[in-house]
Amino acid sequence: MNNQMLLTGFGVLVLVLVGGWYWMSSNLASTPAAPDTVVQVPQPQTHALALAKRVLTPNIVTVTQGDQVTIKVMSDESGEFHISGYEIENDMTVGTELSFSFTADKAGRYNFELHPKEDKAAFRWIPIAEASENEEEEGAAEEDIVIGAFVVNPR
Amino acid sequence: MRYTSAILGVVLAVFVPALALAHGFGQRIDLPVPLYLYLFGGGAIVALSFILLGLVSGRISETLYEYPRFDLMRLRWFRIVASPPALLPLKIIFVAILLVALAGGWWGGQNAALNMLPVVVWILFAIGVTFASAFLGNVWNVINPFKTLYEWAEVLFQKIGLTWKSEPLPASAGVYSAILLFFAFRWIENVSPMSSDPQPLVLFVLCYALVTFTCMAMFGKDEWLKKGDPFSVFFSFLSRFSITDAKDGAVYVRPPAVGLLNQPATLSETGFILLMLSSVAADGMLTTPFFQNMFSALLSAGIPWVLVGTIGLASLFGLFIVVYYWFSFLTKTISGDTSTTLEVARRYIYSLLPIAIAYEVAHYVSILVTESQRLLYIISDPFNRGWDLFGTANFQISYTVLNLKTLWNAQVGLIVIGHVIAVLIAHAIADRFFKDSRKALISQYPMLALMIFYSCLSLWIMAQPIVAVE
């Protein structure tokens, strides 16, 4: 019985410590955000990305919710640059820098996707009954290749 | 050096689709649980474990065993709702969903995001039915469209005078075939690079249907569903946690989790539950930086992904078996129990399910909430022909329905609650077995350590950045 009381006491002590620490941390985590929400100054951010051989560098862009974000992309391949979830789609042309701005209002992790212009069958499993209907529709534009991630930390 | 990284980049680019879709289908938008919450969760788990050990006495365990229950069949309206004619429309709806999804999968557009089949299989079935089974009860037993189709076919065959005799599975067969088939399902989900491509998915579903119909004809419908069909076995185990229990024509409402206090599992059932535990963890685990780095290294060494993924999934299952066996051995040794290690293993295996269920919900709830919205626009145009049957074809998924901070707290809270339930259940089982609370307490130290480890592993997975591209 003594043992059991010791265990309980120890448990309660740890729980109190951990709880206090949680309370402090969650306060700390929200304090820096508080003045921001009052002043409402979203930080403008510019991120320059390069897409070469379907490898995006850097492939992860991290911002904070509410930030005004400008994305610039230089690509060696024509196609659509798509931020899935945000549903922002822009055409890239080889040799021209794509640049667009938006407000990162949704927290979470969203994919950067490439919708290539021409069909590179090597990158895709070919359906068994590859019907011609597939090509007569948008065809290759339907292909989604995940090339990176757009991370928006909650405010 | 530069060349190596370039090669690695190309290799990864080729394999990114396979890596990115660790779960069969769907994009998760949730971010890793922040460090302070992760540590808080871990601390709370350890602290509560000690408190429980100290407080739980034989009395609490006995109360758990003598839980109150109520037979819903005593209610008039429930008898009407649960009567076969009232359930028929429900069964027809699920058969229709299956057939339309299969047709859409084969003849519709092959972009997974616009096709009905991946959503139906990976979101509604693999996540939705799992949640419903764990909380509401064994709903799959009622809505299973394969079962319904088989029953209809049986009636039809009887009408034309075609009958056959089925032989039940031998008792030694256990649920081993379900283990094998369930592993195949998890392989398709986590390893196969085609898991979200509609046409291969149609083939997978048809293969499953073929196996199911053949085996139901050979061994008897109920016999196969009880022992051989991976999903019926899976959902029936989960439903032991749920608040309802259907047996002998009665439907009992009961407190959650008490159904896990049943008699010990058989050896094959223990194996199946260990596969459940390991494969539930697999989806999150495979996308942690630790595993992704390991995979990239193996891939760049020229080992194909199919091999890497298969071995990874199988060795995780193996690891769970070894660790659980080892902790069962410790439990047996420390408590001076005369039963064999396997008997101890079979006795406590159900008590680990609450942690797995908590993790399953914490891990998949976000994807269920966002990805199931796809159905809203897909049902308006199931074959991708530009139709707009219900006027919802242009619906856009709303990601803002999720508040990430609330989600984080809920995820950690769920794991802590699951852990507490698991500890209580294991303790009650030990109390009932030893009939001596001191011995029962001592026997619980190894199990408690295992549960703390398993719960913290679940937390760790959720605190890891999700890496699909590196």
mmCIF file of all heavy atoms in Angstrom, chain B residues 70-112:
data_model
loop_
_atom_site.group_PDB
_atom_site.id
_atom_site.type_symbol
_atom_site.label_atom_id
_atom_site.label_comp_id
_atom_site.label_asym_id
_atom_site.label_seq_id
_atom_site.Cartn_x
_atom_site.Cartn_y
_atom_site.Cartn_z
ATOM 1 N N PHE B 70 -27.239 -2.430 -22.136
ATOM 2 C CA PHE B 70 -28.666 -2.318 -22.412
ATOM 3 C C PHE B 70 -28.949 -2.868 -23.797
ATOM 4 O O PHE B 70 -28.255 -2.535 -24.760
ATOM 5 C CB PHE B 70 -29.087 -0.845 -22.328
ATOM 6 C CG PHE B 70 -30.523 -0.621 -22.695
ATOM 7 C CD1 PHE B 70 -31.545 -0.971 -21.818
ATOM 8 C CD2 PHE B 70 -30.862 -0.084 -23.929
ATOM 9 C CE1 PHE B 70 -32.859 -0.780 -22.165
ATOM 10 C CE2 PHE B 70 -32.186 0.106 -24.278
ATOM 11 C CZ PHE B 70 -33.188 -0.245 -23.396
ATOM 12 N N ASP B 71 -29.948 -3.722 -23.888
ATOM 13 C CA ASP B 71 -30.280 -4.321 -25.182
ATOM 14 C C ASP B 71 -31.195 -3.390 -25.972
ATOM 15 O O ASP B 71 -32.339 -3.157 -25.608
ATOM 16 C CB ASP B 71 -30.976 -5.664 -24.949
ATOM 17 C CG ASP B 71 -31.242 -6.360 -26.273
ATOM 18 O OD1 ASP B 71 -30.807 -5.828 -27.314
ATOM 19 O OD2 ASP B 71 -31.879 -7.422 -26.256
ATOM 20 N N LEU B 72 -30.643 -2.846 -27.082
ATOM 21 C CA LEU B 72 -31.416 -1.920 -27.908
ATOM 22 C C LEU B 72 -32.640 -2.586 -28.528
ATOM 23 O O LEU B 72 -33.614 -1.925 -28.861
ATOM 24 C CB LEU B 72 -30.526 -1.355 -29.023
ATOM 25 C CG LEU B 72 -29.521 -0.289 -28.613
ATOM 26 C CD1 LEU B 72 -28.635 0.063 -29.781
ATOM 27 C CD2 LEU B 72 -30.234 0.957 -28.117
ATOM 28 N N MET B 73 -32.558 -3.917 -28.697
ATOM 29 C CA MET B 73 -33.662 -4.625 -29.327
ATOM 30 C C MET B 73 -34.940 -4.571 -28.481
ATOM 31 O O MET B 73 -36.013 -4.954 -28.926
ATOM 32 C CB MET B 73 -33.278 -6.088 -29.575
ATOM 33 C CG MET B 73 -32.393 -6.275 -30.797
ATOM 34 S SD MET B 73 -33.203 -5.696 -32.301
ATOM 35 C CE MET B 73 -32.083 -6.297 -33.543
ATOM 36 N N ARG B 74 -34.806 -4.126 -27.230
ATOM 37 C CA ARG B 74 -35.993 -3.984 -26.401
ATOM 38 C C ARG B 74 -36.782 -2.733 -26.770
ATOM 39 O O ARG B 74 -37.926 -2.565 -26.349
ATOM 40 C CB ARG B 74 -35.600 -3.931 -24.923
ATOM 41 C CG ARG B 74 -35.302 -5.336 -24.371
ATOM 42 C CD ARG B 74 -34.488 -5.317 -23.126
ATOM 43 N NE ARG B 74 -35.107 -4.546 -22.058
ATOM 44 C CZ ARG B 74 -34.488 -4.271 -20.915
ATOM 45 N NH1 ARG B 74 -33.249 -4.695 -20.717
ATOM 46 N NH2 ARG B 74 -35.090 -3.580 -19.973
ATOM 47 N N LEU B 75 -36.138 -1.865 -27.558
ATOM 48 C CA LEU B 75 -36.828 -0.648 -27.986
ATOM 49 C C LEU B 75 -37.561 -0.937 -29.301
ATOM 50 O O LEU B 75 -36.991 -1.506 -30.232
ATOM 51 C CB LEU B 75 -35.831 0.485 -28.202
ATOM 52 C CG LEU B 75 -35.019 0.889 -26.974
ATOM 53 C CD1 LEU B 75 -33.945 1.876 -27.378
ATOM 54 C CD2 LEU B 75 -35.934 1.503 -25.925
ATOM 55 N N ARG B 76 -38.813 -0.517 -29.373
ATOM 56 C CA ARG B 76 -39.627 -0.789 -30.555
ATOM 57 C C ARG B 76 -39.033 -0.167 -31.809
ATOM 58 O O ARG B 76 -38.884 -0.821 -32.838
ATOM 59 C CB ARG B 76 -41.032 -0.244 -30.328
ATOM 60 C CG ARG B 76 -42.130 -1.124 -30.838
ATOM 61 C CD ARG B 76 -43.462 -0.478 -30.531
ATOM 62 N NE ARG B 76 -43.978 0.149 -31.744
ATOM 63 C CZ ARG B 76 -44.744 -0.505 -32.617
ATOM 64 N NH1 ARG B 76 -45.062 -1.743 -32.414
ATOM 65 N NH2 ARG B 76 -45.198 0.094 -33.701
ATOM 66 N N TRP B 77 -38.674 1.119 -31.686
ATOM 67 C CA TRP B 77 -38.180 1.811 -32.885
ATOM 68 C C TRP B 77 -36.882 1.194 -33.389
ATOM 69 O O TRP B 77 -36.634 1.121 -34.581
ATOM 70 C CB TRP B 77 -38.004 3.315 -32.629
ATOM 71 C CG TRP B 77 -36.948 3.663 -31.614
ATOM 72 C CD1 TRP B 77 -37.143 3.878 -30.292
ATOM 73 C CD2 TRP B 77 -35.548 3.828 -31.839
ATOM 74 N NE1 TRP B 77 -35.954 4.162 -29.676
ATOM 75 C CE2 TRP B 77 -34.959 4.149 -30.599
ATOM 76 C CE3 TRP B 77 -34.736 3.756 -32.966
ATOM 77 C CZ2 TRP B 77 -33.588 4.383 -30.453
ATOM 78 C CZ3 TRP B 77 -33.364 3.982 -32.822
ATOM 79 C CH2 TRP B 77 -32.803 4.290 -31.570
ATOM 80 N N PHE B 78 -36.051 0.697 -32.458
ATOM 81 C CA PHE B 78 -34.792 0.104 -32.910
ATOM 82 C C PHE B 78 -35.036 -1.218 -33.625
ATOM 83 O O PHE B 78 -34.378 -1.529 -34.609
ATOM 84 C CB PHE B 78 -33.837 -0.102 -31.732
ATOM 85 C CG PHE B 78 -32.445 -0.454 -32.184
ATOM 86 C CD1 PHE B 78 -31.560 0.537 -32.553
ATOM 87 C CD2 PHE B 78 -32.044 -1.779 -32.274
ATOM 88 C CE1 PHE B 78 -30.289 0.219 -33.004
ATOM 89 C CE2 PHE B 78 -30.775 -2.105 -32.719
ATOM 90 C CZ PHE B 78 -29.900 -1.097 -33.085
ATOM 91 N N ARG B 79 -36.027 -1.991 -33.117
ATOM 92 C CA ARG B 79 -36.356 -3.253 -33.790
ATOM 93 C C ARG B 79 -36.788 -2.981 -35.228
ATOM 94 O O ARG B 79 -36.448 -3.722 -36.135
ATOM 95 C CB ARG B 79 -37.468 -3.975 -33.034
ATOM 96 C CG ARG B 79 -36.955 -4.846 -31.895
ATOM 97 C CD ARG B 79 -37.964 -5.906 -31.508
ATOM 98 N NE ARG B 79 -39.274 -5.368 -31.154
ATOM 99 C CZ ARG B 79 -39.576 -4.901 -29.937
ATOM 100 N NH1 ARG B 79 -38.671 -4.906 -28.989
ATOM 101 N NH2 ARG B 79 -40.769 -4.434 -29.685
ATOM 102 N N ILE B 80 -37.546 -1.879 -35.398
ATOM 103 C CA ILE B 80 -37.998 -1.543 -36.752
ATOM 104 C C ILE B 80 -36.814 -1.126 -37.620
ATOM 105 O O ILE B 80 -36.626 -1.599 -38.740
ATOM 106 C CB ILE B 80 -39.064 -0.414 -36.706
ATOM 107 C CG1 ILE B 80 -40.307 -0.937 -35.985
ATOM 108 C CG2 ILE B 80 -39.403 0.063 -38.099
ATOM 109 C CD1 ILE B 80 -41.325 0.125 -35.658
ATOM 110 N N VAL B 81 -35.947 -0.263 -37.070
ATOM 111 C CA VAL B 81 -34.792 0.225 -37.833
ATOM 112 C C VAL B 81 -33.855 -0.921 -38.199
ATOM 113 O O VAL B 81 -33.293 -0.966 -39.283
ATOM 114 C CB VAL B 81 -34.036 1.302 -37.006
ATOM 115 C CG1 VAL B 81 -32.692 1.631 -37.639
ATOM 116 C CG2 VAL B 81 -34.866 2.562 -36.877
ATOM 117 N N ALA B 82 -33.700 -1.880 -37.274
ATOM 118 C CA ALA B 82 -32.737 -2.952 -37.498
ATOM 119 C C ALA B 82 -33.345 -4.169 -38.192
ATOM 120 O O ALA B 82 -32.678 -5.184 -38.352
ATOM 121 C CB ALA B 82 -32.124 -3.375 -36.162
ATOM 122 N N SER B 83 -34.602 -4.070 -38.608
ATOM 123 C CA SER B 83 -35.217 -5.224 -39.263
ATOM 124 C C SER B 83 -34.697 -5.340 -40.691
ATOM 125 O O SER B 83 -34.345 -4.343 -41.314
ATOM 126 C CB SER B 83 -36.739 -5.064 -39.271
ATOM 127 O OG SER B 83 -37.075 -3.918 -40.028
ATOM 128 N N PRO B 84 -34.619 -6.559 -41.238
ATOM 129 C CA PRO B 84 -34.051 -6.756 -42.569
ATOM 130 C C PRO B 84 -34.660 -5.862 -43.648
ATOM 131 O O PRO B 84 -33.903 -5.303 -44.447
ATOM 132 C CB PRO B 84 -34.313 -8.242 -42.837
ATOM 133 C CG PRO B 84 -34.360 -8.856 -41.486
ATOM 134 C CD PRO B 84 -34.936 -7.824 -40.568
ATOM 135 N N PRO B 85 -35.993 -5.686 -43.721
ATOM 136 C CA PRO B 85 -36.500 -4.812 -44.794
ATOM 137 C C PRO B 85 -36.028 -3.369 -44.643
ATOM 138 O O PRO B 85 -35.805 -2.684 -45.641
ATOM 139 C CB PRO B 85 -38.027 -4.901 -44.646
ATOM 140 C CG PRO B 85 -38.308 -5.777 -43.510
ATOM 141 C CD PRO B 85 -37.063 -6.305 -42.932
ATOM 142 N N ALA B 86 -35.857 -2.903 -43.404
ATOM 143 C CA ALA B 86 -35.411 -1.523 -43.211
ATOM 144 C C ALA B 86 -33.939 -1.375 -43.555
ATOM 145 O O ALA B 86 -33.483 -0.292 -43.945
ATOM 146 C CB ALA B 86 -35.650 -1.093 -41.765
ATOM 147 N N LEU B 87 -33.170 -2.466 -43.416
ATOM 148 C CA LEU B 87 -31.741 -2.389 -43.710
ATOM 149 C C LEU B 87 -31.455 -2.551 -45.201
ATOM 150 O O LEU B 87 -30.379 -2.192 -45.673
ATOM 151 C CB LEU B 87 -30.978 -3.466 -42.924
ATOM 152 C CG LEU B 87 -30.852 -3.230 -41.430
ATOM 153 C CD1 LEU B 87 -30.116 -4.381 -40.771
ATOM 154 C CD2 LEU B 87 -30.131 -1.913 -41.149
ATOM 155 N N LEU B 88 -32.439 -3.091 -45.930
ATOM 156 C CA LEU B 88 -32.216 -3.360 -47.349
ATOM 157 C C LEU B 88 -31.788 -2.122 -48.145
ATOM 158 O O LEU B 88 -30.802 -2.185 -48.886
ATOM 159 C CB LEU B 88 -33.455 -4.012 -47.966
ATOM 160 C CG LEU B 88 -33.261 -4.474 -49.411
ATOM 161 C CD1 LEU B 88 -32.237 -5.603 -49.481
ATOM 162 C CD2 LEU B 88 -34.574 -4.908 -50.043
ATOM 163 N N PRO B 89 -32.494 -0.970 -47.988
ATOM 164 C CA PRO B 89 -32.060 0.218 -48.737
ATOM 165 C C PRO B 89 -30.604 0.586 -48.446
ATOM 166 O O PRO B 89 -29.851 0.943 -49.362
ATOM 167 C CB PRO B 89 -33.000 1.325 -48.241
ATOM 168 C CG PRO B 89 -34.164 0.631 -47.670
ATOM 169 C CD PRO B 89 -33.707 -0.705 -47.201
ATOM 170 N N LEU B 90 -30.202 0.426 -47.187
ATOM 171 C CA LEU B 90 -28.821 0.733 -46.795
ATOM 172 C C LEU B 90 -27.842 -0.162 -47.555
ATOM 173 O O LEU B 90 -26.834 0.292 -48.105
ATOM 174 C CB LEU B 90 -28.684 0.514 -45.293
ATOM 175 C CG LEU B 90 -27.466 1.132 -44.621
ATOM 176 C CD1 LEU B 90 -27.589 2.641 -44.606
ATOM 177 C CD2 LEU B 90 -27.314 0.606 -43.201
ATOM 178 N N LYS B 91 -28.199 -1.457 -47.607
ATOM 179 C CA LYS B 91 -27.326 -2.398 -48.315
ATOM 180 C C LYS B 91 -27.254 -2.063 -49.795
ATOM 181 O O LYS B 91 -26.191 -2.124 -50.409
ATOM 182 C CB LYS B 91 -27.839 -3.825 -48.120
ATOM 183 C CG LYS B 91 -27.724 -4.277 -46.683
ATOM 184 C CD LYS B 91 -28.091 -5.734 -46.520
ATOM 185 C CE LYS B 91 -27.868 -6.129 -45.069
ATOM 186 N NZ LYS B 91 -27.847 -7.547 -44.837
ATOM 187 N N ILE B 92 -28.423 -1.702 -50.369
ATOM 188 C CA ILE B 92 -28.452 -1.353 -51.792
ATOM 189 C C ILE B 92 -27.562 -0.140 -52.050
ATOM 190 O O ILE B 92 -26.803 -0.102 -53.015
ATOM 191 C CB ILE B 92 -29.909 -1.086 -52.248
ATOM 192 C CG1 ILE B 92 -30.696 -2.393 -52.202
ATOM 193 C CG2 ILE B 92 -29.933 -0.496 -53.653
ATOM 194 C CD1 ILE B 92 -32.178 -2.243 -52.511
ATOM 195 N N ILE B 93 -27.618 0.854 -51.146
ATOM 196 C CA ILE B 93 -26.804 2.053 -51.321
ATOM 197 C C ILE B 93 -25.325 1.689 -51.374
ATOM 198 O O ILE B 93 -24.577 2.160 -52.247
ATOM 199 C CB ILE B 93 -27.062 3.063 -50.170
ATOM 200 C CG1 ILE B 93 -28.445 3.689 -50.327
ATOM 201 C CG2 ILE B 93 -25.987 4.159 -50.157
ATOM 202 C CD1 ILE B 93 -28.873 4.552 -49.165
ATOM 203 N N PHE B 94 -24.875 0.798 -50.474
ATOM 204 C CA PHE B 94 -23.443 0.493 -50.455
ATOM 205 C C PHE B 94 -23.025 -0.373 -51.636
ATOM 206 O O PHE B 94 -21.914 -0.219 -52.141
ATOM 207 C CB PHE B 94 -23.046 -0.119 -49.106
ATOM 208 C CG PHE B 94 -22.888 0.940 -48.056
ATOM 209 C CD1 PHE B 94 -23.942 1.301 -47.248
ATOM 210 C CD2 PHE B 94 -21.687 1.627 -47.944
ATOM 211 C CE1 PHE B 94 -23.810 2.315 -46.310
ATOM 212 C CE2 PHE B 94 -21.541 2.633 -47.006
ATOM 213 C CZ PHE B 94 -22.609 2.983 -46.187
ATOM 214 N N VAL B 95 -23.920 -1.239 -52.099
ATOM 215 C CA VAL B 95 -23.617 -1.978 -53.326
ATOM 216 C C VAL B 95 -23.507 -0.992 -54.485
ATOM 217 O O VAL B 95 -22.588 -1.070 -55.310
ATOM 218 C CB VAL B 95 -24.705 -3.043 -53.602
ATOM 219 C CG1 VAL B 95 -24.540 -3.615 -55.000
ATOM 220 C CG2 VAL B 95 -24.629 -4.150 -52.565
ATOM 221 N N ALA B 96 -24.423 -0.015 -54.527
ATOM 222 C CA ALA B 96 -24.403 0.979 -55.598
ATOM 223 C C ALA B 96 -23.111 1.795 -55.552
ATOM 224 O O ALA B 96 -22.480 2.028 -56.589
ATOM 225 C CB ALA B 96 -25.620 1.893 -55.483
ATOM 226 N N ILE B 97 -22.701 2.213 -54.345
ATOM 227 C CA ILE B 97 -21.463 2.987 -54.230
ATOM 228 C C ILE B 97 -20.296 2.183 -54.785
ATOM 229 O O ILE B 97 -19.484 2.672 -55.569
ATOM 230 C CB ILE B 97 -21.184 3.368 -52.758
ATOM 231 C CG1 ILE B 97 -22.214 4.382 -52.268
ATOM 232 C CG2 ILE B 97 -19.778 3.957 -52.613
ATOM 233 C CD1 ILE B 97 -22.065 4.757 -50.803
ATOM 234 N N LEU B 98 -20.240 0.888 -54.425
ATOM 235 C CA LEU B 98 -19.152 0.038 -54.894
ATOM 236 C C LEU B 98 -19.155 -0.053 -56.416
ATOM 237 O O LEU B 98 -18.116 0.139 -57.065
ATOM 238 C CB LEU B 98 -19.286 -1.363 -54.282
ATOM 239 C CG LEU B 98 -18.303 -2.404 -54.810
ATOM 240 C CD1 LEU B 98 -16.903 -2.114 -54.310
ATOM 241 C CD2 LEU B 98 -18.723 -3.818 -54.424
ATOM 242 N N LEU B 99 -20.348 -0.319 -57.009
ATOM 243 C CA LEU B 99 -20.401 -0.532 -58.446
ATOM 244 C C LEU B 99 -20.113 0.758 -59.214
ATOM 245 O O LEU B 99 -19.365 0.745 -60.196
ATOM 246 C CB LEU B 99 -21.772 -1.104 -58.838
ATOM 247 C CG LEU B 99 -22.063 -2.495 -58.236
ATOM 248 C CD1 LEU B 99 -23.426 -2.994 -58.683
ATOM 249 C CD2 LEU B 99 -20.967 -3.497 -58.627
ATOM 250 N N VAL B 100 -20.685 1.876 -58.756
ATOM 251 C CA VAL B 100 -20.439 3.151 -59.440
ATOM 252 C C VAL B 100 -18.960 3.524 -59.332
ATOM 253 O O VAL B 100 -18.335 3.957 -60.295
ATOM 254 C CB VAL B 100 -21.324 4.278 -58.850
ATOM 255 C CG1 VAL B 100 -20.929 5.634 -59.433
ATOM 256 C CG2 VAL B 100 -22.787 3.998 -59.112
ATOM 257 N N ALA B 101 -18.369 3.300 -58.129
ATOM 258 C CA ALA B 101 -16.955 3.637 -57.946
ATOM 259 C C ALA B 101 -16.080 2.780 -58.857
ATOM 260 O O ALA B 101 -15.127 3.277 -59.461
ATOM 261 C CB ALA B 101 -16.551 3.453 -56.483
ATOM 262 N N LEU B 102 -16.425 1.494 -59.002
ATOM 263 C CA LEU B 102 -15.635 0.624 -59.876
ATOM 264 C C LEU B 102 -15.765 1.063 -61.331
ATOM 265 O O LEU B 102 -14.774 1.136 -62.062
ATOM 266 C CB LEU B 102 -16.087 -0.836 -59.724
ATOM 267 C CG LEU B 102 -15.589 -1.563 -58.479
ATOM 268 C CD1 LEU B 102 -16.182 -2.957 -58.409
ATOM 269 C CD2 LEU B 102 -14.075 -1.634 -58.469
ATOM 270 N N ALA B 103 -17.010 1.369 -61.741
ATOM 271 C CA ALA B 103 -17.224 1.823 -63.112
ATOM 272 C C ALA B 103 -16.478 3.126 -63.349
ATOM 273 O O ALA B 103 -15.795 3.291 -64.374
ATOM 274 C CB ALA B 103 -18.718 2.003 -63.370
ATOM 275 N N GLY B 104 -16.566 4.054 -62.392
ATOM 276 C CA GLY B 104 -15.859 5.322 -62.514
ATOM 277 C C GLY B 104 -14.358 5.106 -62.559
ATOM 278 O O GLY B 104 -13.633 5.764 -63.298
ATOM 279 N N GLY B 105 -13.885 4.160 -61.779
ATOM 280 C CA GLY B 105 -12.458 3.865 -61.746
ATOM 281 C C GLY B 105 -11.955 3.358 -63.084
ATOM 282 O O GLY B 105 -10.846 3.678 -63.505
ATOM 283 N N TRP B 106 -12.779 2.562 -63.756
ATOM 284 C CA TRP B 106 -12.318 1.989 -65.015
ATOM 285 C C TRP B 106 -12.529 2.937 -66.188
ATOM 286 O O TRP B 106 -11.643 3.155 -66.992
ATOM 287 C CB TRP B 106 -13.022 0.656 -65.276
ATOM 288 C CG TRP B 106 -12.343 -0.092 -66.374
ATOM 289 C CD1 TRP B 106 -12.737 -0.156 -67.681
ATOM 290 C CD2 TRP B 106 -11.127 -0.828 -66.297
ATOM 291 N NE1 TRP B 106 -11.846 -0.900 -68.401
ATOM 292 C CE2 TRP B 106 -10.839 -1.326 -67.580
ATOM 293 C CE3 TRP B 106 -10.249 -1.111 -65.236
ATOM 294 C CZ2 TRP B 106 -9.708 -2.090 -67.851
ATOM 295 C CZ3 TRP B 106 -9.130 -1.880 -65.516
ATOM 296 C CH2 TRP B 106 -8.868 -2.360 -66.812
ATOM 297 N N TRP B 107 -13.733 3.515 -66.273
ATOM 298 C CA TRP B 107 -14.055 4.324 -67.448
ATOM 299 C C TRP B 107 -13.898 5.817 -67.220
ATOM 300 O O TRP B 107 -13.924 6.586 -68.159
ATOM 301 C CB TRP B 107 -15.479 4.011 -67.918
ATOM 302 C CG TRP B 107 -15.571 2.651 -68.541
ATOM 303 C CD1 TRP B 107 -14.995 2.254 -69.724
ATOM 304 C CD2 TRP B 107 -16.263 1.500 -68.021
ATOM 305 N NE1 TRP B 107 -15.279 0.934 -69.959
ATOM 306 C CE2 TRP B 107 -16.061 0.432 -68.939
ATOM 307 C CE3 TRP B 107 -17.029 1.266 -66.886
ATOM 308 C CZ2 TRP B 107 -16.592 -0.838 -68.746
ATOM 309 C CZ3 TRP B 107 -17.568 0.006 -66.695
ATOM 310 C CH2 TRP B 107 -17.343 -1.032 -67.612
ATOM 311 N N GLY B 108 -13.763 6.258 -65.969
ATOM 312 C CA GLY B 108 -13.638 7.687 -65.706
ATOM 313 C C GLY B 108 -12.226 8.186 -65.979
ATOM 314 O O GLY B 108 -11.353 7.427 -66.392
ATOM 315 N N GLY B 109 -11.995 9.479 -65.736
ATOM 316 C CA GLY B 109 -10.665 10.046 -65.928
ATOM 317 C C GLY B 109 -9.690 9.411 -64.961
ATOM 318 O O GLY B 109 -10.063 9.043 -63.855
ATOM 319 N N GLN B 110 -8.440 9.278 -65.389
ATOM 320 C CA GLN B 110 -7.486 8.537 -64.582
ATOM 321 C C GLN B 110 -6.727 9.404 -63.581
ATOM 322 O O GLN B 110 -5.819 8.948 -62.912
ATOM 323 C CB GLN B 110 -6.516 7.768 -65.485
ATOM 324 C CG GLN B 110 -7.184 6.636 -66.243
ATOM 325 C CD GLN B 110 -7.849 5.616 -65.317
ATOM 326 O OE1 GLN B 110 -7.210 5.016 -64.485
ATOM 327 N NE2 GLN B 110 -9.165 5.441 -65.451
ATOM 328 N N ASN B 111 -7.094 10.679 -63.474
ATOM 329 C CA ASN B 111 -6.487 11.514 -62.441
ATOM 330 C C ASN B 111 -7.139 11.177 -61.101
ATOM 331 O O ASN B 111 -8.342 11.332 -60.928
ATOM 332 C CB ASN B 111 -6.702 12.992 -62.785
ATOM 333 C CG ASN B 111 -6.026 13.906 -61.805
ATOM 334 O OD1 ASN B 111 -5.731 13.525 -60.669
ATOM 335 N ND2 ASN B 111 -5.772 15.122 -62.231
ATOM 336 N N ALA B 112 -6.307 10.710 -60.166
ATOM 337 C CA ALA B 112 -6.841 10.213 -58.890
ATOM 338 C C ALA B 112 -7.679 11.267 -58.167
ATOM 339 O O ALA B 112 -8.628 10.936 -57.467
ATOM 340 C CB ALA B 112 -5.705 9.741 -57.998
#
